[in-house]
Amino acid sequence: MIRCKSRYGFYDRCIIDMDGLETRGGTIGCDIAEDLDFNRAEILRKCEHAEPADIHDAALKELWS
């Protein structure tokens, strides 16, 4: 899971780890995630608000840094 540290994030979770029900029926939208085609590795590498929340994503971020 990737945490979103943006003050505009939903429940501190990146939208690539969410579904429509978790936004209470609203539309999930994140310009950065959309621009990066929802690619986890690219989001971790390029998004200043993305923070890995598990060992798999932490390893991905370490590889790309």
Side-chain angles (χ1 to χ4, degrees), residues 8-60:
Y8 303 110
F10 299 101
Y11 310 114
D12 293 333
R13 287 178 60 191
C14 182
I15 62 156
I16 64 171
D17 295 313
M18 298 176 68
D19 62 27
L21 295 176
E22 290 175 288
T23 60
R24 300 182 189 154
T27 303
I28 295 175
C30 175
D31 292 339
I32 295 171
E34 287 178 27
D35 291 346
L36 298 174
D37 294 324
F38 299 96
N39 183 315
R40 298 174 75 83
E42 288 296 309
I43 289 170
L44 283 168
R45 187 164 62 127
K46 295 183 178 178
C47 180
E48 65 183 284
H49 303 295
E51 177 180 281
D54 61 24
I55 192 71
H56 179 263
D57 287 327
L60 272 177

